[in-house]
Amino acid sequence: MEAAAVVLKEHISKTASLTEEELSYLASHFKPLSFKKGQVVIREGDKVEHEYFVLSGCLKAFYINDEVKMHILQFAMPTWWTSDYNALYTQTKATINVDCITDATLLSLSNADREKLCREIHQVEHFFRWRTNRGYVAAQKRLLSLMNNDARTRYEELLQLYPELYSLVPKHLIAAYLGVSRETLSRLYHTR
Amino acid sequence: MEAAAVVLKEHISKTASLTEEELSYLASHFKPLSFKKGQVVIREGDKVEHEYFVLSGCLKAFYINDEVKMHILQFAMPTWWTSDYNALYTQTKATINVDCITDATLLSLSNADREKLCREIHQVEHFFRWRTNRGYVAAQKRLLSLMNNDARTRYEELLQLYPELYSLVPKHLIAAYLGVSRETLSRLYHTR
DNA sequence: CCGGTTGTGTGACCTGGATCACTTTCTTAA
DNA sequence: TTAAGAAAGTGATCCAGGTCACACAACCGG
C-alpha cells in the first residue's frame, strides 16, 4: 500500500511539482485493487467511473467486433494508465473491455475525483494535460504506422518500442494489437 | 482581427470559464496569419514552434512515405487546432507537413506562450487538457475503425461525421485520409 | 480561349494478408 | 501425471485493395 503510493507519487512528480502534502492528498483518492489473470476490469456496456494506474502486471484494452474479432487498443504495463476514456469522459457506457493478461495490482481513481483534484490543484491539472498529450501523440504515431507500414514493419516497430511484450504477452494478442491475424503474425517471424 | 478574437474567445469559453480580461490577455498571444491555397504551414524537417487555430479554410496534416505515398493524419476546419504535436511537444524537427487545401486564416500560438498561459491561468490549462482529451479519444476511435472496418465502411463513417468534407476536399485527399488508394475510393462509390 | 496542371473514372492484373482446417506444442489445475 | 484447454505452426485457398496504364473531365493563368 505504502509502496504503491510511492510509485504513484514518483510517477506524477516527474511531470508536476507537488509538495509532499499535496502528493499525499492526491494519493489518498486512489483505491488499491488486485486482480487475477483473466479478470475483467471494464466490461462492454458497463458504466465507467474510474481510470486505473497500473502498479504491477499487464492489462489489455480491447474491442470485440461482431462477437468474433478482437482488436487491442492498448496494452497497459506498470506506471501506465488505462480505462475506456471515451466512456469515462463522455459519461456513456463502455464500448471497449479491459482485462488482465497477468495478475495485476492497480490504483483506481474516479472521474469525479480526478476532476476535483484538477480543480483544486493546478499542478494536478498540468500532470493530466501532459499525460494525455503523450497519449495523443502515441495514438497519432500508431495511426500513421497502421496506414504506412505492412504487418512485418509494424511488428518490428512494436518489438523495438516494447521488447518486454515479446515474452510477456501471448502472440495472438500481439497480432490483435498489430491488426493482423494470428496466422499471419506467426508466418512473419518464421518465414523471414 | 476583432472578429478573429471573438471566435477564439467563444471557442475557449465553451470549456473553460475565463473572465473577459483573461480572455483578452489570452487572445493577445495569438498572431493572425493568412495563407493561400497550397501554401505550406509546417514543412517536414522544420523546427516547430507554433500550433494553429483555424478561423477559416481547410488544412491538412500529412505524412509522406518514401517520397511517394501521402497519408493524412488530420483535416483542420474552422475552430480546429493543428500542428505537428509530436515535434511541438518534444522540441524535435517536424516529421509531418501541414498545408492549406483552401485559402485559410489562422491564429498562431507559440509553444512557449501556451505553456506560459497554462502556468499563469489555471482555466487555460484546463482548456488545453480537455482539448487534447477529445483529440485522444478521436484518435483511438480512428485506430479502431482502421483495424475493424473495411474501406467502404470507413468512407461512410467519415461522410457521416464530416459531411462538409465531401464537397470541400478533393477525393484523392479523402482517400489519403482513409488509408486507401485513390482508385479504390473511386470504385467504392461508383460500384455500390 | 487554349494548353497545362490537377482531379477523377475504369479496366487488367497482382499480392498481402484473411480464412479455413488441421496438427503440434505448451500450460495448468485436479 | 495426466488430461484438457490454450497457444502456436502450417498448408491451401480466396479476396479486398494495391498498382499500372490510360482516358477524360474540370479548372485555372496568361
Side-chain angles (χ1 to χ4, degrees):
Chain A
M1 206 57 24
E2 224 1 271
V6 169
V7 173
L8 178 67
K9 288 173 181 179
E10 274 177 7
H11 171 70
I12 289 176
S13 295
K14 275 180 197 160
T15 47
S17 27
L18 294 173
T19 65
E20 181 52 42
E21 214 175 348
E22 288 171 325
L23 281 171
S24 297
Y25 176 66
L26 174 73
S28 74
H29 291 78
F30 286 75
K31 204 171 83 198
L33 298 170
S34 23
F35 288 89
K36 295 257 188 58
K37 174 175 176 174
Q39 260 192 285
V40 173
V41 179
I42 295 176
R43 176 173 280 111
E44 191 184 332
D46 282 359
K47 210 182 323 166
V48 181
E49 297 286 10
H50 298 84
E51 60 183 308
Y52 303 91
F53 176 74
V54 182
L55 292 168
S56 70
C58 181
L59 327 214
K60 64 179 191 286
F62 60 103
Y63 176 74
I64 301 236
N65 180 309
D66 25 272
E67 337 276 287
V68 172
K69 258 165 283 183
M70 180 208 305
H71 288 288
I72 294 180
L73 246 191
Q74 185 209 21
F75 291 114
M77 317 276 287
T79 81
W80 296 39
W81 298 75
T82 194
S83 188
D84 179 343
Y85 284 104
N86 183 37
L88 192 66
Y89 293 147
T90 65
Q91 299 290 2
T92 53
K93 305 273 172 189
T95 55
I96 66 166
N97 305 269
V98 175
D99 71 14
C100 299
I101 296 176
T102 65
D103 291 356
T105 56
L106 312 178
L107 290 175
S108 81
L109 174 66
S110 76
N111 197 49
D113 280 345
R114 174 174 26 71
E115 290 307 309
K116 191 192 75 160
L117 290 163
C118 280
R119 251 180 280 119
E120 290 174 346
I121 305 174
H122 189 156
Q123 280 293 305
V124 171
E125 186 122 46
H126 181 73
F127 168 77
F128 281 107
R129 177 167 70 92
W130 277 95
R131 186 201 58 176
T132 310
N133 279 168
R134 265 180 258 116
Y136 178 59
V137 166
Q140 287 203 152
K141 279 193 184 168
R142 191 164 160 214
L143 269 171
L144 279 184
S145 177
L146 214 49
M147 296 203 287
N148 279 317
N149 303 138
D150 64 12
R152 157 162 287 143
T153 311
R154 263 142 53 212
Y155 176 60
E156 280 158 7
E157 266 180 19
L158 180 70
L159 286 193
Q160 220 210 349
L161 205 51
Y162 311 112
E164 63 278 31
L165 288 180
Y166 182 79
S167 40
L168 195 73
V169 174
K171 303 285 167 288
H172 69 280
L173 295 183
I174 292 186
Y177 178 90
L178 293 174
V180 295
S181 70
R182 241 196 63 221
E183 294 94 327
T184 297
L185 180 63
S186 169
R187 289 180 176 109
L188 282 186
Y189 56 90
H190 284 102
T191 358
R192 159 83 252 186
Chain B
M1 205 56 22
E2 226 359 272
V6 169
V7 173
L8 178 68
K9 288 173 182 180
E10 275 175 7
H11 171 71
I12 289 175
S13 295
K14 274 180 198 160
T15 46
S17 28
L18 294 173
T19 65
E20 180 52 42
E21 214 175 348
E22 287 172 326
L23 281 171
S24 297
Y25 176 65
L26 174 73
S28 74
H29 291 78
F30 287 74
K31 204 170 82 199
L33 298 171
S34 23
F35 288 90
K36 296 259 186 58
K37 173 175 175 174
Q39 260 192 284
V40 173
V41 179
I42 295 175
R43 175 173 282 111
E44 191 185 332
D46 282 359
K47 211 183 320 165
V48 182
E49 297 286 13
H50 298 84
E51 60 182 309
Y52 304 90
F53 176 74
V54 182
L55 292 167
S56 70
C58 181
L59 325 215
K60 63 179 192 285
F62 60 103
Y63 177 74
I64 300 237
N65 180 309
D66 27 271
E67 337 277 285
V68 172
K69 258 165 282 182
M70 180 208 306
H71 288 289
I72 294 181
L73 245 191
Q74 185 209 24
F75 291 114
M77 317 276 286
T79 80
W80 294 41
W81 298 77
T82 194
S83 188
D84 179 341
Y85 284 106
N86 183 37
L88 191 66
Y89 293 146
T90 64
Q91 299 290 2
T92 52
K93 303 275 172 188
T95 55
I96 66 166
N97 305 268
V98 175
D99 70 14
C100 300
I101 296 176
T102 66
D103 291 356
T105 57
L106 312 178
L107 290 175
S108 81
L109 174 66
S110 76
N111 198 49
D113 280 346
R114 176 177 21 72
E115 290 306 309
K116 192 192 76 163
L117 290 163
C118 281
R119 252 180 279 119
E120 290 174 346
I121 305 174
H122 190 156
Q123 280 293 303
V124 170
E125 186 122 47
H126 181 73
F127 168 77
F128 281 107
R129 175 167 70 93
W130 276 94
R131 187 201 57 177
T132 309
N133 279 169
R134 266 180 258 116
Y136 178 60
V137 166
Q140 287 202 156
K141 279 192 185 169
R142 193 166 158 212
L143 269 171
L144 279 184
S145 178
L146 214 49
M147 296 202 289
N148 279 318
N149 303 138
D150 64 11
R152 157 162 287 143
T153 311
R154 262 142 54 211
Y155 177 59
E156 281 158 5
E157 267 180 18
L158 180 69
L159 286 192
Q160 219 211 351
L161 205 51
Y162 311 111
E164 64 277 30
L165 288 181
Y166 182 80
S167 40
L168 196 74
V169 173
K171 305 284 166 287
H172 71 277
L173 295 183
I174 293 187
Y177 178 90
L178 293 174
V180 295
S181 71
R182 224 196 81 216
E183 294 94 327
T184 297
L185 179 63
S186 170
R187 288 179 175 110
L188 283 187
Y189 55 90
H190 284 102
T191 355
R192 161 85 249 186

